[in-house]
Amino acid sequence: MGKYQNLFKNLKRAALIPFFVIGDPDEQTSFDLVKTAINAGADVLELGIPFSDPVADGPTIQKADIRAMQAGMTPAKAIDFVRRVTDYKPLPVGLLVYYNLIFQYGVEKFFADFKAAGGTSVLVADLSIDDAGEIAPAAAAARLETVFMVTPNTTDQRIQKIAAATSGFIYTVSLMGTTGQRTELSDQVKPLVARIKKHTDKPICVGFGISTPEHAKQVALAGADGVIIGSRIVKFIEDNLNSPSAMKTQTKAFLESVLNALS
Amino acid sequence: MKLRGRYGRFGGFYVPEVLIPALEDIEAGFERFRGDPKFTAELDDLSRHYAGRPTPLYHAKRFSEHVGFQVYIKREDLLHGGAHKVNNALGQGLLAKYMGKKKLIAETGAGQHGLATAMIGALFGMETKIFMGSVDVARQNVNVHKMKLCGAEVVSVSGGTCTLKDAINDALRYWTSHVDDTFYLFGTAGGPHPFPMIVRHFQSPIGTEARAQCIMQFGRLPDIVTACVGGGSNAIGIFSGFLDDAAVKLVGVEGGGKGLNTREHCATLTTGSVGVLHGAQTYVLQDETGQIRKTECISAGLDYPGVGPEHAYLKDSGRAAYYAVTDEQVLDVFERFTRSEGIIPALESSHALAWLVQQKGKLPKETVAVVNLSGRGDKDVSIVEQHRPMR
Ligand SMILES: Cc1ncc(COP(=O)(O)O)c(C=O)c1O
């Protein structure tokens, strides 16, 4: 059984999965924030490598990408960062990248290096199941788990195809749109999770737009194995650029309240 | 998706899952209607009576004298809206209408594609939203006003480099949350499949007409066919008519900006490397880690770090050759061509003219070169004035 499945099976609640852009706002603060999240009870980490043209991301994560790039983050340094994180605590780490970055790094080498750094899975935001063949051999050779997205408009037929190619979890996108905070939880979460469950028993983690402990609770009640929270957390960085300590206290307090809601 | 959308290794559809059904929908719509007699008859009628096709092929005699060989101009500048962009906007707009879509979105650089889409939005009574980088909004202000007059909303995009690349990013992002009722009318022969295929199809009359006109007007095929290349739609439009004519040399001309030895240019095919941007594997301007580079060009319509995948394929296969000319060379030919022909060329199209000037003295007098004059330069007059103040 894979790392993810093992974890979800033994956890009595939905997993808490915070997302950070690696190197936002700078490498050291970013590492401190990840540690903060781990200490606050994160079960899995979802980490993004900053990209110049992140089409799946809303304004909050776009700005985080720019901050991280300006502070010098690169794909090679991001892999070193993952090593530091997994040295600190060996929890599962999923990576979110845009294809061009690993294309330039060399797909095979990238997957091997990420695995050597203790990483668990790589989700390529702009590579659909139709082109999964471009990364599948490298992922298999590195013995990484596979994660693909399902969106509310994904057909049943595609869900089956995606589930068959998944060994980690199904990254379930809660809404039609980009990442970013939302006031309301998307009403598509419940029907979408139910629809995926009709086709597979692979783990389901839901992300995009999940912004409050109450949202997280609703997602868990819908039957998800994990809750991915990105923009809400990244916003604590944006809102406190002059105060790393405020970033940490707010991130910690928020994650603890989510964990509370999930327990 | 039914097709892979590949040109050799290039092309494809590298997009987030949420956009796949939307692209499949457009692919299916195109396959259904492209040969539909009612659709083609309506498109043909509008191309003639609304857009102004066919466009003339004109022998630019005084300019020919200057360069020392025969230059024929394919007059896409005479089309409604002032550029070749209307060919594609009309075709895709009609497709959107036949597919039952009520809203159009588009990206634009120089504003020519935005204007063409705004016109078609007005023509078909569709709500239209145009995404345009804030730098381009400032430098192509007249087109912004024209779009608004047509009833379109213009969204000024201030992310990233604030130019065409970022307008595409934001249009794609917007589309992800509006795929149900909105048709993304992509403006160039790039982006994810099926756009390169569709845009080429609707721009191909340029090449078909030009080839027939060559034979009619001077009894043979030209030696050279040249066009400027931003994303590559006007170039693929004219090239498509001559691809099978091996003796016809195809030349694409890119924006060399301040020079290829600087970083301030947008010569993607000439100096770039293979990568993945905006849904396609193609040549891109990027740093060694894969971050997309900022581009610079006097001509907003060429100011883009990617290029349509078929051009990447034509470059690698050797069927077409790609070169770059600098802003200064473009300004020189803009003035020269206007004075010798009384035709103000778009700065984009002036790139192809500038390449011809570089061939001065290298070609026999009987050589015939066909240039795609992709647009008229009215929109560029104030930019030229800034660089070359009139005495
Ligand atoms: C007149 C004109 N020519 C050329 C272009 C470049 O586009 P493409 O390379 O797709 O023809 C533009 C784009 O705005 C344009 O306005």
Side-chain angles (χ1 to χ4, degrees):
Chain A
M1 194 182 297
K3 246 183 154 176
Y4 288 124
Q5 281 193 351
N6 204 25
L7 180 129
F8 298 140
K9 207 171 137 246
N10 292 316
L11 208 59
K12 297 283 173 285
R13 51 168 172 79
L16 171 61
I17 312 178
F19 168 88
F20 294 92
V21 172
I22 298 175
D24 169 35
D26 59 68
E27 192 167 342
Q28 189 53 45
T29 313
S30 182
F31 186 64
D32 291 343
L33 284 162
V34 169
K35 281 200 294 191
T36 303
I38 292 172
N39 296 337
D43 301 297
V44 174
L45 289 169
E46 188 76 20
L47 300 177
I49 302 184
F51 182 50
S52 53
D53 295 83
V55 290
D57 287 299
T60 303
I61 291 176
Q62 287 173 44
K63 284 185 228 161
D65 280 2
I66 291 169
R67 285 193 296 270
M69 282 192 292
Q70 280 175 348
M73 187 45 60
T74 64
K77 286 187 193 168
I79 286 179
D80 291 342
F81 185 98
V82 171
R83 153 117 328 251
R84 283 175 77 193
V85 170
T86 55
D87 278 350
Y88 180 75
K89 189 173 181 192
L91 37 62
V93 175
L95 205 60
L96 201 139
V97 293
Y98 286 88
Y99 193 43
N100 197 44
L101 297 180
I102 63 175
F103 191 80
Q104 299 310 323
Y105 193 102
V107 174
E108 217 159 292
K109 179 165 162 39
F110 184 87
F111 280 71
D113 289 355
F114 176 66
K115 174 69 178 187
T120 311
S121 65
V122 177
L123 168 57
V124 184
D126 51 352
L127 193 77
S128 71
I129 191 73
D130 308 277
D131 285 315
E134 293 195 24
I135 57 164
R143 313 177 111 251
L144 287 170
E145 301 187 26
T146 52
V147 172
F148 292 99
M149 286 189 184
V150 164
T151 46
N153 57 345
T154 305
T155 60
D156 287 358
Q157 211 184 358
R158 279 180 78 82
I159 290 177
Q160 285 166 9
K161 210 169 144 191
I162 289 165
T166 297
S167 62
F169 62 84
I170 294 176
Y171 194 122
T172 304
V173 177
S174 78
L175 45 76
M176 301 285 291
T178 53
T179 59
Q181 280 175 260
R182 307 288 200 281
T183 32
E184 301 288 326
L185 180 69
S186 159
D187 58 8
Q188 318 214 44
V189 170
K190 251 176 109 169
L192 181 57
V193 171
R195 195 155 65 87
I196 297 170
K197 280 181 184 280
K198 269 199 291 187
H199 299 290
T200 178
D201 53 7
K202 298 277 165 72
I204 295 171
C205 297
V206 178
F208 282 45
I210 297 167
S211 312
T212 68
E214 181 56 27
H215 290 173
K217 189 174 168 181
Q218 293 306 319
V219 168
L221 286 175
D225 300 280
V227 183
I228 304 163
I229 307 181
S231 296
R232 173 58 273 184
I233 295 169
V234 172
K235 195 77 173 31
F236 291 129
I237 302 173
E238 183 185 326
D239 288 346
N240 297 290
L241 284 176
N242 295 318
S243 172
S245 70
M247 294 173 194
K248 277 177 247 170
T249 46
Q250 289 177 18
T251 301
K252 178 170 184 285
F254 176 75
L255 288 176
E256 284 171 354
S257 66
V258 176
L259 206 53
N260 234 330
L262 292 177
S263 298
Chain B
M1 217 80 82
K2 284 258 174 343
L3 304 168
R4 306 292 306 158
R6 293 283 173 168
Y7 304 85
R9 66 191 285 212
F10 300 108
F13 43 91
Y14 298 87
V15 295
E17 171 68 19
V18 64
L19 289 181
I20 297 281
L23 294 173
E24 281 178 335
D25 191 34
I26 294 184
E27 184 195 55
F30 179 66
E31 287 308 318
R32 175 166 170 214
F33 293 115
R34 65 184 294 181
D36 178 84
K38 188 159 168 277
F39 179 87
T40 48
E42 191 170 347
L43 180 58
D44 191 56
D45 180 69
L46 286 166
S47 293
R48 274 172 196 283
H49 303 113
Y50 183 78
R53 297 217 74 86
T55 60
L57 183 70
Y58 163 72
H59 188 189
K61 294 201 189 65
R62 294 191 65 209
F63 187 72
S64 297
E65 240 163 69
H66 171 67
V67 296
F69 52 90
Q70 308 314 308
V71 177
Y72 283 77
I73 307 294
K74 182 60 176 161
R75 303 274 328 253
E76 296 299 294
D77 62 311
L78 291 176
L79 288 173
H80 176 44
H84 70 293
K85 298 287 181 187
V86 69
N87 301 325
N88 173 49
L90 199 51
Q92 283 198 56
L94 195 63
L95 179 59
K97 188 179 137 183
Y98 273 63
M99 287 171 65
K101 301 287 176 182
K102 300 273 180 279
K103 297 175 184 173
L104 300 176
I105 58 168
E107 83 293 344
T108 196
Q112 290 300 107
H113 176 59
L115 174 59
T117 306
M119 289 165 0
I120 300 313
L123 178 68
F124 294 148
M126 291 183 185
E127 202 180 302
T128 305
K129 204 188 274 286
I130 307 295
F131 293 83
M132 188 170 186
S134 57
V135 167
D136 294 335
V137 167
R139 64 176 159 177
Q140 296 288 355
N141 205 262
V142 176
N143 272 341
V144 174
H145 283 291
K146 288 188 191 170
M147 288 183 244
K148 288 182 178 167
L149 285 170
C150 289
E153 182 192 344
V154 179
V155 181
S156 176
V157 175
S158 55
T161 59
C162 309
T163 57
L164 180 57
K165 142 180 116 65
D166 310 284
I168 295 177
N169 287 339
D170 266 17
L172 285 170
R173 289 178 185 124
Y174 178 88
W175 201 30
T176 60
S177 44
H178 297 84
V179 286
D180 288 349
D181 60 351
T182 301
F183 188 101
Y184 186 179
L185 207 164
F186 204 78
T188 191
H193 171 75
F195 290 124
M197 170 178 85
I198 293 178
V199 175
R200 176 208 221 258
H201 177 79
F202 289 128
Q203 292 294 0
S204 65
I206 307 174
T208 314
E209 281 173 20
R211 190 178 189 282
Q213 286 164 327
C214 287
I215 289 167
M216 275 271 291
Q217 290 173 223
F218 51 87
R220 68 172 177 95
L221 291 174
D223 303 292
I224 297 168
V225 171
T226 183
C228 66
V229 179
S233 70
N234 89 88
I236 206 67
I238 195 155
F239 287 1
S240 68
F242 300 92
L243 277 178
D244 296 336
D245 303 314
V248 179
K249 186 175 153 119
L250 305 176
V251 176
V253 187
E254 301 187 300
K258 300 210 164 59
L260 297 186
N261 53 342
T262 72
R263 294 211 135 193
E264 294 169 56
H265 62 76
C266 54
T268 310
L269 287 160
T270 323
T271 70
S273 54
V274 177
V276 174
L277 175 64
H278 292 145
Q281 186 171 146
T282 182
Y283 280 85
V284 296
L285 289 171
Q286 56 188 330
D287 72 13
E288 53 304 333
T289 69
Q291 305 293 359
I292 305 306
R293 260 175 48 196
K294 188 169 167 12
T295 55
E296 202 78 58
C297 185
I298 192 168
S299 154
L302 305 186
D303 203 353
Y304 177 59
V307 67
E310 191 170 359
H311 287 292
Y313 175 72
L314 292 175
K315 173 193 159 88
D316 277 17
S317 70
R319 178 63 192 94
Y322 297 86
Y323 304 98
V325 295
T326 64
D327 290 351
E328 285 303 313
Q329 292 168 327
V330 166
L331 286 164
D332 286 345
V333 81
F334 177 93
E335 291 177 337
R336 151 112 22 214
F337 189 81
T338 305
R339 285 197 177 210
S340 55
E341 301 296 336
I343 295 171
I344 304 177
L347 283 173
E348 288 80 10
S349 326
S350 299
H351 283 69
L353 295 170
W355 182 80
L356 287 178
V357 171
Q358 290 188 336
Q359 309 317 305
K360 190 173 169 174
K362 296 185 194 164
L363 300 171
K365 187 164 165 278
E366 324 71 69
T367 305
V368 173
V370 170
V371 191
N372 195 20
L373 199 71
S374 55
R376 64 175 186 235
D378 306 39
K379 69 186 174 56
D380 298 318
V381 168
S382 70
I383 295 171
V384 173
E385 169 71 14
Q386 280 165 30
H387 285 83
R388 303 265 170 104
M390 247 176 278
R391 279 164 298 244

